[in-house]
Amino acid sequence: FGSSNPLSQTINQATQQTVMSMALVRTLRVARPALRYTAPRLFSTYYTKTHEWFKVEDGVGTLGITDYAQDQLGEVVYADLPSEGQSVQSGSTIVSLESVKAVGEVYAPVDGEVVGVNEALGDEPGLVNSAAQEGGWLCKIKVTGDLPSSLMDQAAYDKLLKESSE
């Protein structure tokens, strides 16, 4: 086949285009850094030294007590919840939980405004015990300002529990 043959010319052109395409793909693979998908964090859960949990999502945090705290408190028979619209300051008492053993105070982990309360606790205060970190939440707080550096992640809280049990 000579270069004047139309079939030969078509094959040569196709070969050249394929070689150029392969070179371009190699260039793109080298030039493009490896992409890694990182799922966005939709919420973050924090813990306090006084055994509250605080799940923050879009500037609003849901507050409750940890399983450890409910176990120490005993069977909760009444929850004195804050009022919606109430301003709270970090470290101030926001909720009182009465149990058959004692009265426990729950402290606001942040500065903010109460934007919701768990009305179900009026009829079923025992939700604090049976579902401490789910249906037994206490109130929702719209955070005003920065989160305190004293809030802990799960690993730090687990370490606190381990150290306190030794």
Side-chain angles (χ1 to χ4, degrees):
F1 300 136
S3 61
S4 62
N5 182 338
L7 179 61
S8 178
Q9 289 176 350
T10 304
I11 291 173
N12 284 338
Q13 288 175 346
T15 304
Q16 287 177 344
Q17 287 176 347
T18 302
V19 169
M20 288 174 50
S21 294
M22 291 173 61
L24 179 62
V25 167
R26 267 185 288 210
T27 302
L28 289 175
R29 284 185 183 158
V30 171
R32 175 181 54 99
L35 298 176
R36 297 192 197 318
Y37 174 74
T38 305
R41 288 188 79 170
L42 300 177
F43 61 87
S44 296
T45 302
Y46 300 97
Y47 299 87
T48 68
K49 290 182 180 180
T50 51
H51 307 288
E52 290 92 10
W53 58 265
F54 192 62
K55 183 187 291 186
V56 181
E57 186 173 1
D58 297 328
V60 176
T62 303
L63 176 67
I65 63 171
T66 64
D67 190 55
Y68 174 85
Q70 71 80 23
D71 187 54
Q72 296 298 304
L73 189 57
E75 182 185 346
V76 175
V77 294
Y78 179 73
D80 184 15
L81 301 172
S83 302
E84 287 188 35
Q86 178 180 331
S87 293
V88 296
Q89 293 193 329
S90 181
S92 64
T93 301
I94 188 170
V95 175
S96 292
L97 296 173
E98 294 181 21
S99 75
V100 293
K101 293 184 348 184
V103 174
E105 293 185 334
V106 179
Y107 304 101
V110 295
D111 294 339
E113 177 186 341
V114 176
V115 293
V117 295
N118 189 350
E119 299 290 344
L121 297 179
D123 294 328
E124 288 185 76
L127 284 172
V128 172
N129 299 105
S130 63
Q133 293 190 235
E134 295 166 5
W137 62 275
L138 304 170
C139 63
K140 294 184 182 281
I141 302 170
K142 181 178 180 183
V143 179
T144 57
D146 295 331
L147 295 175
S149 61
S150 60
L151 294 176
M152 297 176 275
D153 63 11
Q154 181 73 54
Y157 182 69
D158 289 346
K159 183 178 177 186
L160 173 76
L161 289 177
K162 185 178 178 185
E163 290 171 354
S164 67
S165 69
E166 293 176 349

mmCIF file of all heavy atoms in Angstrom, residues 46-64:
data_model
loop_
_atom_site.group_PDB
_atom_site.id
_atom_site.type_symbol
_atom_site.label_atom_id
_atom_site.label_comp_id
_atom_site.label_asym_id
_atom_site.label_seq_id
_atom_site.Cartn_x
_atom_site.Cartn_y
_atom_site.Cartn_z
ATOM 1 N N TYR A 46 -20.937 17.518 70.119
ATOM 2 C CA TYR A 46 -19.941 17.878 71.128
ATOM 3 C C TYR A 46 -20.417 17.410 72.494
ATOM 4 O O TYR A 46 -21.612 17.166 72.700
ATOM 5 C CB TYR A 46 -19.739 19.398 71.160
ATOM 6 C CG TYR A 46 -19.267 19.960 69.843
ATOM 7 C CD1 TYR A 46 -20.167 20.514 68.939
ATOM 8 C CD2 TYR A 46 -17.919 19.931 69.497
ATOM 9 C CE1 TYR A 46 -19.744 21.026 67.726
ATOM 10 C CE2 TYR A 46 -17.485 20.436 68.291
ATOM 11 C CZ TYR A 46 -18.405 20.984 67.405
ATOM 12 O OH TYR A 46 -17.978 21.477 66.207
ATOM 13 N N TYR A 47 -19.476 17.339 73.427
ATOM 14 C CA TYR A 47 -19.762 16.886 74.783
ATOM 15 C C TYR A 47 -19.122 17.850 75.774
ATOM 16 O O TYR A 47 -18.152 18.528 75.449
ATOM 17 C CB TYR A 47 -19.215 15.467 74.999
ATOM 18 C CG TYR A 47 -19.837 14.477 74.058
ATOM 19 C CD1 TYR A 47 -19.311 14.260 72.789
ATOM 20 C CD2 TYR A 47 -20.983 13.785 74.415
ATOM 21 C CE1 TYR A 47 -19.901 13.379 71.904
ATOM 22 C CE2 TYR A 47 -21.582 12.899 73.532
ATOM 23 C CZ TYR A 47 -21.034 12.699 72.279
ATOM 24 O OH TYR A 47 -21.630 11.833 71.400
ATOM 25 N N THR A 48 -19.693 17.882 76.989
ATOM 26 C CA THR A 48 -19.153 18.744 78.040
ATOM 27 C C THR A 48 -18.641 17.900 79.200
ATOM 28 O O THR A 48 -18.997 16.721 79.332
ATOM 29 C CB THR A 48 -20.239 19.701 78.579
ATOM 30 O OG1 THR A 48 -21.221 18.928 79.279
ATOM 31 C CG2 THR A 48 -20.891 20.501 77.457
ATOM 32 N N LYS A 49 -17.860 18.524 80.047
ATOM 33 C CA LYS A 49 -17.344 17.828 81.236
ATOM 34 C C LYS A 49 -18.458 17.510 82.219
ATOM 35 O O LYS A 49 -18.309 16.647 83.068
ATOM 36 C CB LYS A 49 -16.266 18.672 81.907
ATOM 37 C CG LYS A 49 -15.002 18.743 81.096
ATOM 38 C CD LYS A 49 -13.927 19.551 81.797
ATOM 39 C CE LYS A 49 -12.686 19.586 80.924
ATOM 40 N NZ LYS A 49 -11.602 20.346 81.523
ATOM 41 N N THR A 50 -19.592 18.212 82.097
ATOM 42 C CA THR A 50 -20.731 17.950 82.978
ATOM 43 C C THR A 50 -21.734 16.995 82.321
ATOM 44 O O THR A 50 -22.878 16.909 82.746
ATOM 45 C CB THR A 50 -21.409 19.275 83.397
ATOM 46 O OG1 THR A 50 -21.689 20.053 82.228
ATOM 47 C CG2 THR A 50 -20.512 20.065 84.341
ATOM 48 N N HIS A 51 -21.305 16.311 81.277
ATOM 49 C CA HIS A 51 -22.023 15.203 80.641
ATOM 50 C C HIS A 51 -23.283 15.605 79.873
ATOM 51 O O HIS A 51 -24.257 14.870 79.828
ATOM 52 C CB HIS A 51 -22.322 14.107 81.672
ATOM 53 C CG HIS A 51 -21.099 13.660 82.398
ATOM 54 N ND1 HIS A 51 -20.118 12.896 81.802
ATOM 55 C CD2 HIS A 51 -20.662 13.924 83.666
ATOM 56 C CE1 HIS A 51 -19.146 12.686 82.675
ATOM 57 N NE2 HIS A 51 -19.445 13.302 83.801
ATOM 58 N N GLU A 52 -23.217 16.751 79.214
ATOM 59 C CA GLU A 52 -24.245 17.113 78.245
ATOM 60 C C GLU A 52 -23.700 16.807 76.851
ATOM 61 O O GLU A 52 -22.501 16.830 76.640
ATOM 62 C CB GLU A 52 -24.591 18.617 78.300
ATOM 63 C CG GLU A 52 -25.334 19.053 79.534
ATOM 64 C CD GLU A 52 -24.412 19.523 80.655
ATOM 65 O OE1 GLU A 52 -23.195 19.685 80.424
ATOM 66 O OE2 GLU A 52 -24.903 19.723 81.777
ATOM 67 N N TRP A 53 -24.595 16.516 75.928
ATOM 68 C CA TRP A 53 -24.220 16.423 74.511
ATOM 69 C C TRP A 53 -24.917 17.562 73.783
ATOM 70 O O TRP A 53 -25.959 18.036 74.198
ATOM 71 C CB TRP A 53 -24.552 15.076 73.891
ATOM 72 C CG TRP A 53 -25.998 14.659 73.943
ATOM 73 C CD1 TRP A 53 -26.588 13.874 74.890
ATOM 74 C CD2 TRP A 53 -27.035 14.991 73.009
ATOM 75 N NE1 TRP A 53 -27.928 13.706 74.609
ATOM 76 C CE2 TRP A 53 -28.231 14.387 73.456
ATOM 77 C CE3 TRP A 53 -27.076 15.752 71.842
ATOM 78 C CZ2 TRP A 53 -29.446 14.502 72.780
ATOM 79 C CZ3 TRP A 53 -28.290 15.873 71.166
ATOM 80 C CH2 TRP A 53 -29.454 15.247 71.640
ATOM 81 N N PHE A 54 -24.283 18.015 72.712
ATOM 82 C CA PHE A 54 -24.789 19.161 71.968
ATOM 83 C C PHE A 54 -24.506 18.925 70.499
ATOM 84 O O PHE A 54 -23.360 18.968 70.066
ATOM 85 C CB PHE A 54 -24.106 20.441 72.469
ATOM 86 C CG PHE A 54 -24.741 21.715 71.997
ATOM 87 C CD1 PHE A 54 -26.044 22.030 72.336
ATOM 88 C CD2 PHE A 54 -24.023 22.625 71.236
ATOM 89 C CE1 PHE A 54 -26.629 23.223 71.913
ATOM 90 C CE2 PHE A 54 -24.592 23.815 70.814
ATOM 91 C CZ PHE A 54 -25.901 24.110 71.154
ATOM 92 N N LYS A 55 -25.577 18.642 69.733
ATOM 93 C CA LYS A 55 -25.433 18.357 68.302
ATOM 94 C C LYS A 55 -25.777 19.625 67.528
ATOM 95 O O LYS A 55 -26.901 20.103 67.570
ATOM 96 C CB LYS A 55 -26.358 17.225 67.883
ATOM 97 C CG LYS A 55 -26.191 16.836 66.411
ATOM 98 C CD LYS A 55 -27.221 15.839 65.940
ATOM 99 C CE LYS A 55 -27.014 14.494 66.589
ATOM 100 N NZ LYS A 55 -27.940 13.471 66.031
ATOM 101 N N VAL A 56 -24.785 20.176 66.820
ATOM 102 C CA VAL A 56 -24.947 21.433 66.097
ATOM 103 C C VAL A 56 -25.164 21.173 64.617
ATOM 104 O O VAL A 56 -24.401 20.438 63.994
ATOM 105 C CB VAL A 56 -23.711 22.345 66.292
ATOM 106 C CG1 VAL A 56 -23.898 23.661 65.554
ATOM 107 C CG2 VAL A 56 -23.445 22.582 67.765
ATOM 108 N N GLU A 57 -26.212 21.795 64.087
ATOM 109 C CA GLU A 57 -26.521 21.686 62.666
ATOM 110 C C GLU A 57 -27.064 23.035 62.201
ATOM 111 O O GLU A 57 -28.066 23.518 62.729
ATOM 112 C CB GLU A 57 -27.558 20.586 62.459
ATOM 113 C CG GLU A 57 -27.857 20.289 61.028
ATOM 114 C CD GLU A 57 -28.768 19.068 60.869
ATOM 115 O OE1 GLU A 57 -29.189 18.460 61.863
ATOM 116 O OE2 GLU A 57 -29.044 18.740 59.714
ATOM 117 N N ASP A 58 -26.369 23.654 61.262
ATOM 118 C CA ASP A 58 -26.793 24.938 60.699
ATOM 119 C C ASP A 58 -27.015 26.009 61.765
ATOM 120 O O ASP A 58 -27.993 26.746 61.720
ATOM 121 C CB ASP A 58 -28.061 24.781 59.856
ATOM 122 C CG ASP A 58 -27.858 23.890 58.637
ATOM 123 O OD1 ASP A 58 -26.728 23.896 58.093
ATOM 124 O OD2 ASP A 58 -28.799 23.193 58.248
ATOM 125 N N GLY A 59 -26.126 26.078 62.737
ATOM 126 C CA GLY A 59 -26.186 27.133 63.743
ATOM 127 C C GLY A 59 -27.160 26.895 64.880
ATOM 128 O O GLY A 59 -27.289 27.724 65.784
ATOM 129 N N VAL A 60 -27.867 25.767 64.864
ATOM 130 C CA VAL A 60 -28.788 25.420 65.943
ATOM 131 C C VAL A 60 -28.325 24.114 66.554
ATOM 132 O O VAL A 60 -28.056 23.141 65.845
ATOM 133 C CB VAL A 60 -30.240 25.291 65.440
ATOM 134 C CG1 VAL A 60 -31.170 24.824 66.555
ATOM 135 C CG2 VAL A 60 -30.731 26.613 64.869
ATOM 136 N N GLY A 61 -28.230 24.089 67.879
ATOM 137 C CA GLY A 61 -27.780 22.892 68.571
ATOM 138 C C GLY A 61 -28.891 22.256 69.377
ATOM 139 O O GLY A 61 -29.714 22.949 69.982
ATOM 140 N N THR A 62 -28.912 20.942 69.364
ATOM 141 C CA THR A 62 -29.851 20.173 70.180
ATOM 142 C C THR A 62 -29.092 19.719 71.415
ATOM 143 O O THR A 62 -28.003 19.166 71.310
ATOM 144 C CB THR A 62 -30.392 18.963 69.398
ATOM 145 O OG1 THR A 62 -31.001 19.438 68.199
ATOM 146 C CG2 THR A 62 -31.398 18.186 70.206
ATOM 147 N N LEU A 63 -29.689 19.954 72.585
ATOM 148 C CA LEU A 63 -29.034 19.670 73.865
ATOM 149 C C LEU A 63 -29.700 18.500 74.564
ATOM 150 O O LEU A 63 -30.925 18.379 74.570
ATOM 151 C CB LEU A 63 -29.113 20.913 74.767
ATOM 152 C CG LEU A 63 -28.555 20.786 76.181
ATOM 153 C CD1 LEU A 63 -27.037 20.587 76.156
ATOM 154 C CD2 LEU A 63 -28.927 22.013 77.000
ATOM 155 N N GLY A 64 -28.885 17.655 75.172
ATOM 156 C CA GLY A 64 -29.391 16.552 75.978
ATOM 157 C C GLY A 64 -28.309 16.119 76.956
ATOM 158 O O GLY A 64 -27.230 16.706 77.005
#
